[in-house]
Amino acid sequence: MQSFGWRRVATITAHASKALRGWRLRVQWPAASLGAYWVLVIVIATVPMALYVSYLVYRETLAARTQLEEGLRRTANTFALAVERELVSSIDALSILAYAESLQRHDIARFYDTLTRWPTLRASWDHAYLAAPDGRVLFSTKRPLGRPVGELAGTIEFEQLRTLREPVISDLGVSYDDTAGRGELVTTIQVPVLRDGRLQYVLGAVIPASNWQKLMRDASVPSGGFLSLYDGNSRIIAHSLDPGSLGTGEQAALPWATGDARAGVRPAPHRGSDAMYAAWQRVPLAGWGVGVGVEAGPLDRAQLGAIASALGAGLLSFSIGLALALVVARQVTGPLRQLALFGPDAVRRNVVVREIAVLRDALRYAAEQRELARQRLQAKADEFEALFNGSPIGLVIAQDPDCRSTLMNPALAAILNASPGRWGHDGHERPRSLGASPKIMRYGRELPPSERPLQRACLEGLETRDLELEIVYDDGRRVNLLAYAVPLRAADGRPRGAVGAFVDITERKQAERRLILAERRLRESQNLVELAQEAGHVGFFDYHFADDSAVWTSGLAKLFGVELQAVEPGARGWWRRVVKEDAHRTRAQIREAIARHADRATFEFRAIRPDGTLRWLASRALLTYDDAGQPWRMVGVCVDVTDQKLVEQERAALVAREQAARREAENANRAKDEFLAMLGHELRNPLGAIAAAVEVLNRVDHRHETAASARRIIARQTSHLARLMNDLLDMARATAGKITLTRQPVNLAQLVRRTLGAMEVAGSLRQHKLSVEYHDVWIEADPVRMEQVITNLLTNAVKYTPADGSIHVRVGEDGEQALLEVRDTGIGLAPELLPRIFDLFVQGERALDRRQGGLGIGLTLVRRLVELHGGSVGAHSEGPNRGSTFTVRLPRIHPSGAALTRTAPGPSNSKRVVVVEDNDDARLAIESLLTLAGHQVRSAEDGTSGLQLLLEEDPDLALVDIGLPGLTGYEIAQRVRAAGRRTTLVALSGYGQPQDVERALAAGFDAHMVKPVDVTQLQRYLG
């Protein structure tokens, strides 16, 4: 700063001297002695200098204050960034924890274990906590799980988070779990845990004020100053000088506590000091602020002292200078008077003032040098004249501003057909012409004298460089010149003449024309080569092994999809544009060819274009070797064979698809044959049993025990046939995607209990050891279809498990999924059968007697129904005779209270039932079945009487056939609903397609049953 001040003084002094010189030309200086002028100089030089130095000192103090303020501002900003970084990091950490899998599954214990298992979540955190949306704190990581913690409800930050659904940072306050009344001051950060836009939890972290105090230790605090952190209510969170002031409102007296300014610096009072310089910076994320300050008194006193010292030094310098000026004036005036009156030789005594002695010696030396300069100038003039006349470059000198008097050397005179020498208005004759004057041309136009380089330099002061001119002679000869012209300027800057030079470039221009012609021919040839490369998708390369240099043609660059200028030199630019495995293979092929000293190499590879597409290139290269047998050069051609490769790949893919289709058709044909054979077998067995039982009924009395046994056989076989038909129809509907699900919340454990109860009543499980493991788990499913899934899995286990074998059924939950597992100790599954066990018509190994029976569609139907419910089913077996395990996974739900009430079992009671069926046998069978079950049954055989009976009886349940004489079942349902009756109507039909079910429900029926009547399903309708 001091060096800068003295440079400024020197600059101002120089400008002042220059100004004084100019002023001296206009102002008449008064006559005075040298002593008087010395005193004036001292005054003029010292007083402004003293004042300026004082000004510089003042500016230095202002700069120091500005630097201090900038340091305060930088410290406040740095610590504010550190605080904001800590807050943002904490919010990010809490946001990441909010997506923890255990928290999303509402597994609070596991989430607590996850948080407490980590040594330290963040160094600044005291602990973390989780709260419910109602403000109840579920746990705190500093307390055991389950111990009461506290409440957040009613706090400003909690209510703000519930409203905005965004992270919230609290001001300084007492911790929510300060049950002991310790009054520890903390700050908290709360993050919402959202799911589907709803607030599930509030995840928070507690940062004690002491940790903010620790963070402040790493900050750079000015010497003797302080650093403080305060919250949105102007309460101190941390203070570098007084940690005990935490929580007080003292910051309110500072400038940063008021106003909306985000940052600033200003003087302000603080903590007993008269004044201080303070800077503040707000932390927008939390609404907090950072303050930094130092006392202003010491700084102000130092500034005033520096200014006073500068003024005192100036006054002392002025006094000493004035005394010395008077003494020196006497030593100067005497010798100067002698020099002025008598010359340098008159002053022979010792001169005290060295400058006067130097002046005397200089006057002597100047006289000697004048003579030497005259001699040198004459020698230079002789040298220039020899150079001017002997130079092969045409030179001309204009000696007046109008370019009328010029001096031309012989070289230029020869070009212009003129005589060399001086000519013009100074009395010399104009040069004698040696022939007709040539024309001076530019771009085919003759230049007038005013546009020629020498004239423009003289008249306009314009410098000309590298201006090409053409001299045209009368005989047709042409000479090309390169012209230069530089103006010569007078003392006032105006042109007083010019110097011109003209270089003969005729031979160069002729060479350029020959080069341009050759280049045009080469370019035409290159265009033909490039056209041939592009038309044939061909490119060439030339690679030298010794210096790893390669030359690509433009056709090769186009094959790689790059510009020729963008190609990297050497082999690296090649290999990085080739697929990695192809590059390894191609390099190996080239090395193998070099090892064999082969003179040719052929290889194929895939090139990677900049847009990511791949092109197949086939290359054929010629290899040459040096005298030592080392590879020297490889020249080759690359051809784009992508289309050929695509055709080959499409042909191979077509062959593969044709073979796969053939195998699939053969498998389908074989499965069809096996299915028809199994269907015939499965139908012949029950039909044969039914025919034999009918024959027995025809031969014995109906009250005989044999007749009762025959009727039971007919019932079993009829039920078996009905199940076969239902399975086939369900499989057809599932395959066509026409199954309609009636979803409702159901307890999977209750469905399994009900299905197992029905099978135990039917005696299906009496030969096996059954073990169950129930855990209530709810799913959104069609109860009928899910019972069908459970029945098929249990039936499959019973079929393939020998007598006295074990069957284990487990119902539970696995995360967000409901789990149904059926495990048996049966014949197991072969490894090759496992991937196809759920395919249509696939069955395990069967004995010749086909005791297991079935068509191989049960497991296929299980998979389709489970997938329709959004679940999955899998099979596992350790191998033959080692049992099997079938696992069904379905989406788990949380049931409402209404669903729990609806599924609760109620007491059994007698129902009033009406049966409308035109088939006498079916009507009597259903009526007998319901009467035996304890229900009151009335029946009708046509639609008209059935409608009248329904309106008169108003029963609890009505079973109505669709195809009735008189009125159809649809018309009966419509009229019953029109009469306002709430009877449960169940349609009976031999058709079970989705459109049949939808039509029945649209007519007013509550349910649809396919004949023959399923007793289990009928019991469910009866409640």
Side-chain angles (χ1 to χ4, degrees):
M1 188 69 185
Q2 292 179 353
S3 61
F4 170 78
W6 288 116
R7 286 197 300 270
R8 290 282 296 167
V9 171
T11 303
I12 292 175
T13 303
H15 286 298
S17 300
K18 184 175 181 180
L20 288 174
R21 286 196 300 270
W23 181 62
R24 184 180 55 191
L25 297 177
R26 299 188 300 271
V27 179
Q28 182 67 36
W29 286 77
S33 64
L34 180 61
Y37 275 108
W38 269 108
V39 172
L40 181 61
V41 168
I42 292 299
V43 172
I44 294 174
T46 305
V47 173
M49 182 68 68
L51 294 176
Y52 184 70
V53 169
S54 300
Y55 168 72
L56 291 180
V57 172
Y58 176 71
R59 282 191 56 186
E60 188 73 20
T61 58
L62 290 181
R65 180 182 300 177
T66 302
Q67 184 176 5
L68 174 63
E69 292 177 353
E70 182 62 27
L72 294 176
R73 184 184 294 107
R74 185 164 51 251
T75 300
N77 184 54
T78 301
F79 187 64
L81 288 177
V83 172
E84 186 170 15
R85 188 182 307 112
E86 179 61 32
L87 293 175
V88 170
S89 300
S90 297
I91 291 175
D92 291 343
L94 291 175
S95 299
I96 292 172
L97 291 174
Y99 287 98
E101 182 180 359
S102 56
L103 187 59
Q104 293 294 323
R105 293 200 313 264
H106 307 288
D107 192 347
I108 303 302
R110 185 174 180 181
F111 184 62
Y112 174 84
D113 182 63
T114 299
L115 293 184
T116 55
R117 189 169 59 246
W118 292 350
T120 302
L121 296 175
R122 283 193 61 79
S124 62
W125 293 4
D126 180 72
H127 65 275
Y129 61 87
L130 181 68
D134 59 0
R136 178 171 45 88
V137 179
L138 301 178
F139 69 77
S140 170
T141 57
K142 68 185 295 185
R143 300 181 184 273
L145 181 63
R147 179 175 294 180
V149 180
E151 292 284 340
L152 296 179
T155 62
I156 297 175
E157 293 78 10
F158 183 75
E159 297 303 327
Q160 182 181 357
L161 182 140
R162 292 180 58 183
T163 302
L164 301 179
R165 304 294 175 88
E166 294 179 352
V168 174
I169 302 171
S170 74
D171 289 333
L172 187 68
V174 179
S175 176
Y176 68 91
D177 62 344
D178 188 19
T179 56
R182 293 176 299 176
E184 181 184 6
L185 298 178
V186 299
T187 59
T188 61
I189 300 173
Q190 298 177 359
V191 173
V193 180
L194 304 177
R195 185 173 183 182
D196 298 330
R198 294 178 298 177
L199 181 64
Q200 298 292 322
Y201 301 100
V202 175
L203 183 60
V206 175
I207 304 178
S210 57
N211 287 351
W212 292 115
Q213 193 73 31
K214 293 178 183 178
L215 181 64
M216 185 174 289
R217 295 173 185 171
D218 298 330
S220 177
V221 182
S223 177
F226 70 91
L227 174 63
S228 64
L229 174 64
Y230 58 94
D231 62 10
N233 294 321
S234 301
R235 289 177 296 185
I236 297 176
I237 299 175
H239 199 287
S240 63
L241 295 180
D242 188 8
S245 63
L246 304 185
T248 65
E250 187 173 347
Q251 296 295 124
L254 296 178
W256 53 76
T258 60
D260 297 328
R262 179 171 177 175
V265 179
R266 68 176 65 170
H270 178 64
R271 303 177 67 88
S273 300
D274 293 337
M276 70 174 185
Y277 291 107
W280 74 94
Q281 177 71 39
R282 294 194 179 275
V283 183
L285 181 62
W288 297 356
V290 173
V292 184
V294 294
E295 292 186 4
L299 180 62
D300 294 340
R301 288 191 294 272
Q303 294 173 356
L304 293 176
I307 296 174
S309 299
L311 291 176
L315 182 60
L316 179 61
S317 299
F318 170 73
S319 301
I320 296 174
L322 183 62
L324 291 176
L326 297 176
V327 174
V328 171
R330 294 190 182 93
Q331 300 295 326
V332 173
T333 53
L336 285 179
R337 187 178 296 106
Q338 292 179 355
L339 286 174
L341 295 177
F342 307 109
D345 293 334
V347 183
R348 298 186 178 277
R349 63 182 180 85
N350 187 25
V351 179
V352 176
V353 180
R354 184 180 302 170
E355 283 76 6
I356 297 178
V358 171
L359 176 61
R360 178 196 60 192
D361 298 338
L363 292 175
R364 293 175 182 170
Y365 181 75
E368 298 172 357
Q369 292 299 316
R370 277 196 299 271
E371 179 61 23
L372 292 176
R374 187 191 64 76
Q375 297 175 2
R376 291 196 195 98
L377 184 61
Q378 183 61 43
K380 292 292 184 182
D382 296 339
E383 293 172 359
F384 174 77
E385 184 176 2
L387 176 63
F388 183 79
N389 292 327
S391 174
I393 298 174
L395 300 175
V396 60
I397 301 174
Q399 298 178 328
D400 65 293
D402 297 328
C403 201
R404 295 179 181 176
S405 175
T406 61
L407 180 63
M408 183 186 306
N409 74 339
L412 183 60
I415 294 174
L416 300 178
N417 283 340
S419 60
R422 187 188 306 272
W423 59 276
H425 59 43
D426 55 355
H428 290 76
E429 296 181 356
R430 301 185 67 82
R432 180 175 54 84
S433 176
L434 303 179
S437 298
K439 297 179 180 179
I440 301 177
M441 312 287 289
R442 178 168 173 79
Y443 299 134
R445 181 179 69 89
E446 184 176 2
L447 291 180
S450 62
E451 296 183 13
R452 295 173 184 175
L454 192 65
Q455 280 80 353
R456 296 191 66 185
C458 289
L459 299 175
E460 304 176 22
L462 297 179
E463 183 177 348
T464 302
R465 291 182 178 274
D466 300 325
L467 182 67
E468 293 188 6
L469 301 175
E470 188 177 29
I471 307 300
V472 180
Y473 298 94
D474 289 342
D475 58 1
R477 288 186 304 110
R478 294 175 181 268
V479 175
N480 297 99
L481 299 179
L482 198 62
Y484 300 85
V486 179
L488 301 175
R489 300 186 182 276
D492 57 0
R494 291 182 295 179
R496 61 175 180 81
V499 176
F502 300 86
V503 182
D504 189 346
I505 58 172
T506 304
E507 293 184 0
R508 192 184 78 180
K509 297 296 288 185
Q510 292 175 352
E512 287 178 357
R513 285 192 287 270
R514 289 193 297 269
L515 182 60
I516 292 173
L517 179 61
E519 184 179 357
R520 184 170 62 249
R521 292 175 179 173
L522 178 61
R523 188 163 53 249
E524 292 173 354
S525 301
Q526 184 68 22
N527 291 337
L528 292 176
V529 173
E530 291 181 358
L531 182 62
Q533 291 183 98
E534 186 170 356
H537 299 286
V538 176
F540 301 93
F541 64 89
D542 184 0
Y543 178 70
H544 291 263
F545 289 92
D547 56 356
D548 187 27
S549 62
V551 177
W552 293 27
T553 63
S554 59
L556 183 60
K558 289 181 179 179
L559 292 181
F560 280 87
V562 298
E563 296 293 335
L564 187 59
Q565 296 79 5
V567 176
E568 297 180 8
R572 177 178 299 179
W574 177 291
W575 297 122
R576 80 177 191 87
R577 291 182 170 86
V578 178
V579 176
K580 184 176 294 184
E581 55 267 24
D582 293 358
H584 292 323
R585 186 186 66 254
T586 304
R587 281 197 289 261
Q589 292 174 344
I590 294 175
R591 286 194 296 268
E592 190 270 337
I594 292 174
R596 293 187 291 104
H597 273 71
D599 57 353
R600 287 178 174 82
T602 303
F603 41 87
E604 293 183 350
F605 55 88
R606 287 168 294 172
I608 306 173
R609 292 195 167 193
D611 59 1
T613 58
L614 300 179
R615 304 294 294 179
W616 273 99
L617 302 182
S619 180
R620 185 178 182 86
L622 298 178
L623 295 165
T624 55
Y625 305 87
D626 57 15
D627 295 338
Q630 297 298 319
W632 173 61
R633 187 180 184 189
M634 180 171 63
V635 180
V637 59
C638 287
V639 182
D640 191 336
V641 294
T642 304
D643 295 338
Q644 177 183 346
K645 285 290 184 180
L646 290 177
V647 170
E648 293 176 357
Q649 293 173 358
E650 290 176 359
R651 185 185 300 112
L654 183 61
V655 171
R657 287 196 299 270
E658 187 273 335
Q659 293 175 351
R662 183 184 298 113
R663 288 193 299 270
E664 185 177 351
E666 291 173 353
N667 292 335
N669 189 52
R670 183 167 54 253
K672 178 201 68 175
D673 295 340
E674 292 179 359
F675 168 70
L676 292 177
M678 288 186 293
L679 181 61
H681 184 279
E682 293 294 329
L683 291 177
R684 279 194 296 271
N685 284 343
L687 289 176
I690 292 172
V694 170
E695 186 63 27
V696 169
L697 290 176
N698 291 333
R699 296 185 181 185
V700 300
D701 186 78
H702 69 280
R703 291 170 292 184
H704 196 275
E705 178 62 28
T706 304
S709 177
R711 287 192 295 272
R712 288 193 295 271
I713 290 174
I714 293 174
R716 285 197 303 271
Q717 298 304 324
T718 302
S719 177
H720 179 61
L721 286 174
R723 284 197 302 272
L724 286 178
M725 293 303 103
N726 287 335
D727 286 349
L728 287 173
L729 290 174
D730 286 341
M731 193 64 247
R733 286 194 292 269
T735 303
K738 295 182 179 179
I739 288 183
T740 302
L741 300 179
T742 305
R743 294 175 181 260
Q744 64 184 46
V746 294
N747 190 334
L748 182 59
Q750 289 185 2
L751 288 179
V752 174
R753 287 192 191 98
R754 189 161 58 200
T755 305
L756 286 174
M759 295 184 70
E760 287 175 348
V761 170
S764 302
L765 303 173
R766 64 179 179 272
Q767 296 182 353
H768 299 82
K769 300 175 182 177
L770 178 67
S771 61
V772 294
E773 181 182 346
Y774 293 128
H775 297 282
D776 288 342
V777 58
W778 288 80
I779 59 175
E780 186 83 17
D782 187 330
V784 177
R785 294 302 181 184
M786 285 311 302
E787 286 185 6
Q788 192 173 1
V789 169
I790 298 167
T791 301
N792 284 355
L793 290 176
L794 291 172
T795 303
N796 184 75
V798 170
K799 280 183 182 181
Y800 294 100
T801 301
D804 296 329
S806 298
I807 299 175
H808 179 74
V809 180
R810 184 169 70 93
V811 179
E813 61 181 44
D814 183 11
E816 293 299 321
Q817 292 183 325
L819 180 68
L820 169 61
E821 182 179 274
V822 179
R823 185 170 68 250
D824 61 60
T825 58
I827 64 174
L829 297 170
E832 62 273 10
L833 187 62
L834 271 176
R836 301 186 296 110
I837 192 63
F838 293 102
D839 292 346
L840 190 61
F841 308 136
V842 174
Q843 289 182 305
E845 190 66 29
R846 298 179 297 276
L848 185 60
D849 59 1
R850 287 191 50 80
R851 180 179 62 84
Q852 294 89 351
L855 300 176
I857 63 177
L859 292 180
T860 304
L861 186 58
V862 166
R863 183 178 65 179
R864 296 294 173 87
L865 291 176
V866 171
E867 290 175 349
L868 286 175
H869 284 83
S872 63
V873 60
H876 174 73
S877 177
E878 297 294 336
N881 300 318
R882 302 187 66 179
S884 305
T885 302
F886 289 85
T887 304
V888 175
R889 297 178 184 273
L890 295 165
R892 184 168 65 91
I893 66 170
H894 299 280
S896 62
L900 292 172
T901 304
R902 184 171 58 248
T903 58
S908 60
N909 55 0
S910 176
K911 302 290 185 180
R912 293 182 297 110
V913 183
V914 170
V915 180
V916 184
E917 170 64 70
D918 61 338
N919 186 290
D920 296 336
D921 293 337
R923 185 178 68 255
L924 292 174
I926 296 173
E927 187 175 355
S928 300
L929 178 64
L930 293 172
T931 302
L932 291 174
H935 302 288
Q936 304 173 22
V937 184
R938 297 285 302 276
S939 64
E941 61 184 10
D942 58 62
T944 303
S945 60
L947 176 60
Q948 183 178 358
L949 183 61
L950 281 171
L951 294 177
E952 291 175 354
E953 293 292 332
D954 193 15
D956 299 314
L957 175 69
L959 303 176
V960 182
D961 185 26
I962 296 298
L964 293 171
L967 295 175
T968 65
Y970 300 129
E971 293 173 329
I972 291 175
Q974 292 170 352
R975 296 189 184 187
V976 169
R977 295 307 183 205
R981 303 300 171 88
R982 307 302 300 171
T983 300
T984 301
L985 300 179
V986 178
L988 298 178
S989 174
Y991 303 97
Q993 296 297 322
Q995 58 267 27
D996 301 322
V997 178
E998 293 175 2
R999 184 177 178 185
L1001 297 177
F1005 284 102
D1006 296 293
H1008 182 279
M1009 291 181 63
V1010 180
K1011 296 179 181 179
V1013 173
D1014 187 340
V1015 177
T1016 303
Q1017 190 174 2
L1018 180 58
Q1019 290 176 350
R1020 186 167 60 253
Y1021 293 144
L1022 289 168

